[in-house]
Structure formats: C-alpha cells, structure tokens
Amino acid sequence: WSLQASNMSIEAFSKVLQKANAILQDHFSHIPLEKLSEEVHAAFQRLDLDDKGELGEERLLAAFEEYGSSHVCALRLGAEEVRELTERYDVNRSGALDRFEFEHMVRIMLAKPCDAACPVCLAYPTRRNTFSL
C-alpha cells in the first residue's frame, strides 16, 4: 500500500487515521489487554453477517458508523475513507479484512502490541506493531 496509489493526500489520509483511531479508541480502549483478542474477534463475528471470514468495505463502513455513533462527537467515516483504511490494512490484498487483519488494525489504532503469533506480523514483518498514525 502506498499513498501514491491513492487519490487521497497524505494530510487527508492522516485525518482519516485520526478519526478511525478516535472511533476505535472509544469502542475498544476500555477492554483489558488480556481480553482484547477475544473481544475483537467477537466484534468481528458480529460484523461478519455472511460468515465469509472477512469484512468488505460495506461491512467496515457499517461498523465504523455503529462505533462512531456512540462517540461524543458522533464521528463518521465515509465510503472513500473506509476504502483507504481497507487498502492500508488488507495486507494479503483480498479486497477485505480477515479477522487477523481486523485485529491488527484495532491493535495499531489502540497502540497495543500484537500477540507474538499475529499472522499479519509474522507474514509481513514490516507491519509488526507499527503504531504511527
């Protein structure tokens, strides 16, 4: 993934990451680290309505709408913003996030280290615990 392949400027994408971070922080930050994987996987299962094991842009948009509506400022991400996030965190380039990519994204946004057995980190070592927004 690179911003060069994107239509979005670095500044605009930085704002997307900040909004996504605020939404995910609001939804998941209260969860103790030892229960985070379990809770993220449960959230993934609730969102994966068709049991395909992946969340496409439409489902991710719905998730961010649901999670963002409870945020104090009622933050929203648009379809283009979700597309950019999907492109960034869809490391296997399937066009959707599987449960490991979804958890990896959540952990990055929460600045919580991935488990040693994180499939995303193992397959793509340059993605290991990269917390920069």
Side-chain angles (χ1 to χ4, degrees), residues 7-92:
N7 292 327
M8 192 172 280
S9 71
I10 292 173
E11 295 81 20
F13 188 68
S14 178
K15 289 179 183 177
V16 170
L17 288 175
Q18 289 171 1
K19 280 201 297 190
N21 184 339
I23 291 168
L24 292 175
Q25 285 278 346
D26 192 55
H27 192 75
F28 289 106
S29 66
H30 68 283
I31 300 168
L33 185 58
E34 64 274 4
K35 293 193 178 262
L36 186 59
S37 284
E38 178 183 327
E39 292 294 327
V40 172
H41 287 188
F44 182 90
Q45 291 302 114
R46 283 190 302 276
L47 294 167
D48 184 17
L49 298 178
D50 57 8
D51 290 325
K52 287 185 177 180
E54 62 184 20
L55 303 176
E57 291 173 16
E58 184 177 305
R59 292 304 308 142
L60 286 169
L61 182 60
F64 277 107
E65 285 179 4
E66 175 188 333
Y67 298 163
S69 66
S70 66
H71 192 275
V72 175
C73 300
L75 291 173
R76 296 275 190 258
L77 289 178
E80 179 63 25
E81 294 169 317
V82 169
R83 184 174 303 110
E84 295 291 334
L85 282 174
T86 302
E87 287 178 15
R88 179 176 179 120
Y89 291 101
D90 176 23
V91 295
N92 66 6

Side-chain angles (χ1 to χ4, degrees), residues 101-115:
E101 292 165 332
F102 182 72
E103 180 177 359
H104 188 81
M105 176 185 70
V106 170
R107 284 180 174 274
I108 294 299
M109 296 286 181
L110 297 177
K112 302 290 184 188
C114 291
D115 296 331

